[in-house]
Amino acid sequence: MWPITALCLRLFVIHRRRWSSIFVVVSSLLLLLFLSLSGYLEVFFSRTLPIFYPNPTQLSPSRLANVPLPPFLLSPANACSPPPLLLILVSSAPSHRDRRDAIRQTWGSLSSSTASSSLTLFLLAVPETAEERSALVHEAVTHGDIIQANFTDSYRNLTVKTLTGFTWALQKCQGAQFLLKTDDDVFVNTLALATFLRPQRGLLYFGRVHWHAAPFRDPENRHYTSNQMFSSNYFPPYCSGTGYVVSHDAAGHILQEAGSGPWITVEDVYVGILAKAAGVAPQHVARIAGSASIPHNICCYKTMFTSHQLTPRGMREAWNMLKEAKDHWCPPLTLLFCRTFGQPLDNAGNGDN
Ligand SMILES: *[C@@H]1O[C@H](CO)[C@@H](O)[C@H](O)[C@H]1NC(C)=O
Ligand SMILES: *[C@@H]1O[C@H](CO)[C@@H](O)[C@H](O)[C@H]1NC(C)=O
């Protein structure tokens, strides 16, 4: 980028009269292209959002207590002592045992005592069959990392799953400063994320921001949102559910808004709507991939905080790469490369769980 800009400037000096305006325009366009491809333009725009948001609401224990959520059936006792800097809640389905095991053996293996100071727990609800129910209890006893609440485990109940996760964090893990909500097909560079989070202060809600997503009005679509649930043509900006971070206080502000108004079944969209009501603006972070699956490449896993759509095998490969990455030199503009050549999902922009 800079050599090109320098060349443009030099040519500008030589051919000042004739070409000057063309070179200025071309180099400005290149700069703009770089900023938008690497995500920095969105980072900039998201920083202006608080101007358009209401002031943050007050935290009120009585409002929090009034949010109608099912009780916990499994809750990992003592998992949170000592409390981690970052509590990672992975939304998972009962049948995804292989994905949970891959996470346990890779990035989820890091604990509060390591430099990443993260704790990874899985969010589940009640499976349909008795066989699955007892397998889950057995898994919870073996690993001590499952939070289960009493509601039917289904795609259209994902909002309940996320909000019970927020509740668990607020009630049972008060010392955790940050909460990452993610899915069981996402690779997380916990160490890099923790390093980024450590100096952050205040009410935070950040991830890959979707700016102008429209509700799906077809009842057959799994992201269906009825007019009764949400009548406007566009959702407010929200962070992709594949990986977003909220600070401890922001989780409380967001959760207490859920007590009023209809629930929306698209989890990440609903959190964005609650955040807006609470006066907590989303911030775009270029190193969170969102629904994109980044190139399977050592420098991308080192640079990005998350990557989407990994199989258990891909997860192990990525983890092995990341272990080698500490002493691995990565070229400048790695972020630009990883974002530009990531594979977006078809349904990106709307509840990409
Ligand atoms: C869980 O919910 C079911 C009904 O949905 C109820 O029958 C059962 O008693 C509940 N269990 C607990 C422990 O709350
Ligand atoms: C969500 O969970 C509730 C409580 O268990 C259940 O009654 C409802 O049927 C579930 N919804 C879906 C769409 O599965």
Side-chain angles (χ1 to χ4, degrees), residues 64-65 72 164-174 248 255:
L64 265 178
F72 296 112
T164 53
F166 277 33
T167 310
W168 193 89
L170 291 170
Q171 290 177 358
K172 319 263 164 136
C173 200
Q174 291 175 6
H248 184 270
L255 189 60

Side-chain angles (χ1 to χ4, degrees), residues 190-207:
T190 43
L191 206 62
L193 183 57
T195 306
F196 173 81
L197 286 174
R198 207 161 266 124
Q200 308 278 348
R201 296 287 175 270
L203 281 181
L204 280 178
Y205 165 42
F206 71 75

Side-chain angles (χ1 to χ4, degrees), residues 293-307:
S293 133
I294 58 172
H296 201 48
N297 168 292
I298 187 165
C299 283
C300 287
Y301 289 118
K302 186 179 178 176
T303 304
M304 300 296 284
F305 295 147
T306 67
S307 174

Side-chain angles (χ1 to χ4, degrees), residues 5-25 27:
T5 314
L7 183 70
C8 288
L9 282 176
R10 220 164 124 193
L11 289 169
F12 169 75
V13 173
I14 298 167
H15 304 272
R16 201 176 317 185
R17 288 194 198 109
R18 222 186 279 163
W19 295 98
S20 59
S21 44
I22 294 177
F23 286 124
V24 169
V25 168
S27 49

Side-chain angles (χ1 to χ4, degrees), residues 32 35-36 38-52 207 209 211 282-286:
L32 208 63
L35 288 174
S36 74
S38 57
Y40 288 122
L41 214 55
E42 287 176 74
V43 172
F44 171 76
F45 283 135
S46 74
R47 294 302 161 107
T48 65
L49 270 179
I51 303 170
F52 307 102
V209 173
W211 293 94
Q283 283 180 28
H284 184 80
V285 170

Side-chain angles (χ1 to χ4, degrees), residues 36-256:
S36 74
L37 283 178
S38 57
Y40 288 122
L41 214 55
E42 287 176 74
V43 172
F44 171 76
F45 283 135
S46 74
R47 294 302 161 107
T48 65
L49 270 179
I51 303 170
F52 307 102
Y53 270 54
N55 286 328
T57 49
Q58 294 295 312
L59 264 186
S60 142
S62 62
R63 282 187 74 193
L64 265 178
N66 276 337
V67 179
L69 283 168
F72 296 112
L73 299 176
L74 297 170
S75 169
N78 308 327
C80 217
S81 49
L85 172 80
L86 173 64
L87 172 64
I88 304 177
L89 296 176
V90 183
S91 187
S92 187
S95 60
H96 293 173
R97 173 76 195 248
D98 56 338
R99 298 193 194 182
R100 289 192 290 281
D101 282 343
I103 291 174
R104 285 179 181 122
Q105 289 156 13
T106 58
W107 57 266
S109 63
L110 301 174
S111 70
S112 298
S113 55
T114 62
S116 79
S117 189
S118 56
L119 169 69
T120 303
L121 301 174
F122 298 95
L123 291 175
L124 287 114
V126 179
E128 279 191 31
T129 68
E131 210 178 358
E132 280 181 308
R133 285 197 286 272
S134 65
L136 197 61
V137 172
H138 186 73
E139 187 182 333
V141 171
T142 310
H143 294 285
D145 58 4
I146 288 180
I147 301 170
Q148 185 195 36
N150 196 9
F151 63 97
T152 309
D153 205 304
S154 67
Y155 197 83
R156 302 225 13 118
N157 267 342
L158 280 183
T159 295
V160 186
K161 202 177 261 184
T162 293
L163 294 186
T164 53
F166 277 33
T167 310
W168 193 89
L170 291 170
Q171 290 177 358
K172 319 263 164 136
C173 200
Q174 291 175 6
Q177 289 176 49
F178 301 98
L179 182 65
L180 168 72
K181 186 269 146 185
T182 188
D183 296 334
D184 58 12
D185 58 348
V186 174
F187 185 83
V188 182
N189 184 342
T190 43
L191 206 62
L193 183 57
T195 306
F196 173 81
L197 286 174
R198 207 161 266 124
Q200 308 278 348
R201 296 287 175 270
L203 281 181
L204 280 178
Y205 165 42
F206 71 75
R208 165 84 177 84
V209 173
H210 290 303
W211 293 94
H212 204 56
F216 282 103
R217 298 302 193 191
D218 171 9
E220 299 294 304
N221 193 294
R222 67 176 188 163
H223 300 300
Y224 170 63
T225 304
S226 70
N227 257 311
Q228 285 74 33
M229 284 185 203
F230 188 84
S231 57
S232 307
N233 288 336
Y234 294 99
F235 293 126
Y238 66 93
C239 296
S240 163
T242 50
Y244 58 86
V245 174
V246 289
S247 58
H248 184 270
D249 280 356
H253 282 78
I254 290 170
L255 189 60
Q256 72 180 7

